[in-house]
Structures are given as C-alpha cells and as structure tokens.
Amino acid sequence: MATNRIFNFAAGPAILPLPVLEEAQRDLVALPGVGMSVMEISHRSKPFEAVIQECEANIRKLAGIPENYHVMFLQGGATLQFAMVPLNLLAAGETADYITTGSWSEKALKEAKKVGNTNVAFTAKADNFTRIPKQEELKLTPNAVYVHMAGNETIHGVEFHQPPDVGSVPLITDASSHMLSRPLDIAKYAGIYAGAQKNIGPAGCTLVILRDDLLQKAKANRAYEKLPIMIQYGPHAEEKSLHNTPPAFAIYVMNLVTRWLLKLGGLAEMEKINIRKAEKLYAEIDRTGFYRGHARKEARSRMNIPFRLPKEELEDKFVKEAKAAGMDGLKGHRSVGGLRASIYNAFPEEGIDALVAFMQEFEKKNG
Ligand SMILES: *Cc1c(COP(=O)(O)O)cnc(C)c1O
C-alpha cells in the first residue's frame, strides 16, 4: 500500500512511522467502538479521556518520568515555551542562565530577555555553533533561577550526549528534535519541552514535562497572577491538559507513536537503532573528505546531520538529483547552508543505505 512513499529527510514536520499512519487512516472515519472520528468527539468524552491518559502513561513509561513531574500537552509550539518558561519562572530580581549552542537556544534567550535578567553561561557562536561546552567553560550564575539549554540543535546538528552539570539549579531543556530518540536521565532536568512534529507526532502539540517544585515556584512568582491563563502552567498541569480544548488529533497520533515505540522495545532499543543509522551516515561523510560534517565529532547529533560539499553548485545539484532518486528534504537550513539529513526515530535504515549509496555515486561522478 505504501509503495509511493519516498525517503523523507525533512527536519520538521517530519516522517512518522508507517504503521501509525496506516492505523490513523484505518480508524479516521470511526474509532473502533465509538462510531465517530477522533476529530469529532468531545475532548471530555470517555474515549478521548482514554487516549490522552494512555498517551501520558506511555510517555511516562517510555521516558521513565517520576510522579513528581507533570506531563502536559500544550499548543503554540516549542516557540511558545521559549516565552512561557521565563514568564512563569523568571521573577523580578532573578537571573536565568542560557547556554546557546545554535539557532534554537538563541531564540529561547531572545524571548527570555524580554521578560527578565539573563546571563549567557556559554555561547558557541564564535565557533559557528559546531560544538557544545566543556564543563569548565560554563559561566553559571550562583542561585540562577534556572539554566536553559537545547539538548539537540536541529539546524546546526549539535547534541548534548550528557547534560551539563549545573549543580542544584533547575535545568530546562528544549528537547524538540531528540525527545524519545533515546533514554534521557529525567532526574537531571527540572523541565523538558518538545514540539511534537520533529520526533513524536504531528504538528500542533507540544509536550511539556515540569517538575512540581518549579510549578509551585511559578505560582509564587508575583507576576504569575497577571499572566493570561493560557500562559500559566498551573491550569494546564492541574487540569491534565484539559483546561481548554487540547490538540486532540495530534495527541491521538502521538499516542499511536508511543505504542509503536513500546512495541519496538522502548527507548533503549530505539537508541541502538538510532546510533546504528547515524554512524552509517557519519562514516560515509568522513570516508574521503569530499563531504564535510558541520558539527565537531564529539557533539554530533544522531537526529540531524548537516554536511557540506566542496562547492555550493554541487550542493544544489546533490539536492536536485537526490530528489529525483526518491530522497526529499535534504536541503540544509538557510542559516547553515549545504545539506541536512534528518533521520528521526521513524526514518528507516533502508533510507540511510540508499543515501549512502547515492553519496558514493555522486562523489564518483563529481569528486
Ligand atoms: C523546531 C524547533 C523549535 C520550534 O518549534 P515550533 O514547534 O515550530 O515552535 C524549537 N526548538 C527546536 C530544537 C526545534 O527543533
């Protein structure tokens, strides 16, 4: 049935597991036992309650999220979290630390600056965002209200394989493009957020995981009561993402994705597959020097792999010919240029093999 699907290397919205799409298609018109589409039922109905509760339970199980963390399904994308984090947590007279390792963490910083005092604890800008900080490079503020980072920079292809040590200061990570790609040590983080459309579902839903003491801290912030209710974490956390109508269809598809991950064996299994896929592609990038990876080796992302060719004309040619060969979404982000292969959880290993074979052919003809 899926013979007309090509290899989709897009950064986001991105590829979803085929069995998930097929199940959503099969049940689109009528959920089994319900007789209506998931798009047509009340978000307060029993069938939808079952969907959102299972989705939360599966995410807790997959990621190992303890009881003292809230799991929320919000809207507004990761971009709204850039604002919600400081609006809730950064009170007058306090300072928030930001580690910037690429475009997304820079955008997060820009939003926080509108709200309160910030400190750039580290920036890799001078290195063209090719690396993550060494522990001793971090200039952390003692008693910062939180430290913000982006666990995986989708555009620059830079990933933290271990979180930085920030002592007892709460660590908040934008995990949009690597959430559920591998186990994360949740206890190291006080807050995690991820737009679903990269690795966990369709656009329209943002997963937010927040430790309860941060929620209590937000509520004690004097500015909190003045925030629009949709910006406050409290109602979303306390009403289990049902303060208003949630993105029901996106949550339904996310739930199917979590089932797919559980069936596969969970995040440790997923990580093994992701390591194998990424290593295959990096091995080809490093093979002769014709291709050049953007990120330094120790900071290489397993999800987003930006790379360059010797000449820009060749890059355009590569994108065009790859597309003709059934590989789409390989053009790099305009800020980095070159090419980028996004190889999220759902991206099949055959697609990596196809790209590697194509790269070898292309080098033979143009190298
Ligand atoms: C895509 C992306 C964002 C922006 O997500 P939206 O859902 O479009 O707001 C933020 N951070 C990272 C790491 C991303 O990959």
Side-chain angles (χ1 to χ4, degrees):
M1 115 173 232
T3 47
N4 55 352
R5 275 173 72 80
I6 61 163
F7 291 123
N8 175 8
F9 289 90
I15 187 166
L16 285 164
L18 182 59
V20 165
L21 294 175
E22 287 173 340
E23 183 172 343
Q25 180 186 47
R26 192 194 69 211
D27 295 343
L28 187 69
V29 172
L31 276 182
V34 178
M36 295 176 277
S37 171
V38 70
M39 287 183 277
E40 301 171 307
I41 59 176
S42 165
H43 56 292
R44 308 204 185 273
S45 64
K46 280 268 174 307
F48 186 72
E49 221 170 61
V51 169
I52 194 167
Q53 284 173 3
E54 183 191 336
C55 192
E56 176 178 340
N58 287 353
I59 288 169
R60 284 187 183 275
K61 187 168 173 186
L62 282 164
I65 299 168
E67 279 303 309
N68 62 326
Y69 288 75
H70 302 276
V71 173
M72 294 170 257
F73 303 102
L74 307 187
Q75 298 183 62
T79 303
L80 185 58
Q81 294 310 306
F82 294 166
M84 269 176 83
V85 166
L87 282 167
N88 279 267
L89 295 168
L90 178 54
E94 296 178 329
T95 299
D97 280 355
Y98 277 73
I99 297 172
T100 59
T101 50
S103 304
W104 293 113
S105 44
E106 278 212 312
K107 285 192 173 145
L109 168 66
K110 209 168 159 191
E111 289 292 270
K113 279 183 172 167
K114 297 178 186 170
V115 178
N117 295 330
T118 55
N119 165 53
V120 178
F122 171 81
T123 177
K125 200 182 178 90
D127 294 307
N128 201 13
F129 295 124
T130 52
R131 68 186 191 98
I132 58 165
K134 294 192 197 79
Q135 184 64 36
E136 64 271 19
E137 290 178 296
L138 293 178
K139 295 197 170 58
L140 299 169
T141 308
N143 304 318
V145 64
Y146 61 80
V147 179
H148 183 279
M149 61 179 272
N152 186 63
E153 285 283 358
T154 320
I155 292 172
H156 293 88
V158 170
E159 182 170 6
F160 280 85
H161 295 288
Q162 293 293 330
D165 181 0
V166 296
S168 58
V169 175
L171 182 60
I172 297 177
T173 186
D174 173 359
S176 293
S177 49
H178 71 167
M179 189 65 196
L180 303 187
S181 72
R182 61 179 168 100
L184 281 187
D185 187 353
I186 301 296
K188 297 247 164 82
Y189 303 91
I192 301 172
Y193 59 88
Q197 73 275 16
K198 306 288 165 51
N199 205 28
I200 48 183
C205 184
T206 310
L207 176 66
V208 178
I209 298 163
L210 190 67
R211 209 170 60 202
D212 186 61
D213 59 294
L214 263 79
L215 176 61
Q216 300 314 325
K217 174 147 197 329
K219 289 163 82 175
N221 175 358
R222 284 184 58 201
Y224 180 83
E225 280 309 320
K226 290 254 160 54
L227 295 176
I229 199 158
M230 287 298 286
I231 303 298
Q232 298 174 333
Y233 282 123
H236 297 299
E238 282 146 17
E239 296 170 51
K240 298 296 234 175
S241 311
L242 293 172
H243 174 71
N244 72 327
T245 316
F249 185 72
I251 294 167
Y252 162 78
V253 178
M254 274 171 75
N255 186 38
L256 299 182
V257 171
T258 62
R259 283 186 193 170
W260 176 79
L261 282 166
L262 284 167
K263 201 167 152 195
L264 199 95
L267 299 192
E269 247 355 91
M270 191 70 251
E271 179 179 38
K272 278 189 212 156
I273 297 168
N274 285 331
I275 289 176
R276 200 166 65 222
K277 288 189 302 189
E279 280 181 352
K280 255 190 196 175
L281 186 46
Y282 281 119
E284 179 55 27
I285 288 171
D286 294 338
R287 196 171 54 86
T288 65
F290 180 71
Y291 299 101
R292 268 177 304 120
H294 176 78
R296 291 194 195 169
K297 284 191 179 163
E298 69 281 3
R300 282 175 162 179
S301 167
R302 292 178 191 148
M303 295 283 104
N304 309 98
I305 305 187
F307 59 100
R308 307 289 316 238
L309 270 69
K311 280 184 291 196
E312 234 174 281
E313 305 90 80
L314 280 180
E315 293 170 344
D316 294 339
K317 190 168 180 228
F318 186 103
V319 171
K320 220 181 271 162
E321 291 181 11
K323 185 163 180 160
M327 288 171 269
D328 201 5
L330 283 162
K331 192 171 166 50
H333 190 274
R334 58 194 180 278
S335 62
V336 177
L339 302 143
R340 172 177 49 170
S342 294
I343 52 170
Y344 297 114
N345 286 350
F347 191 88
E349 195 159 348
E350 308 89 80
I352 307 283
D353 296 336
L355 178 60
V356 165
F358 177 86
M359 287 167 77
Q360 292 178 352
E361 258 322 289
F362 190 86
E363 181 176 348
K364 255 188 225 145
K365 283 192 215 139
N366 302 282

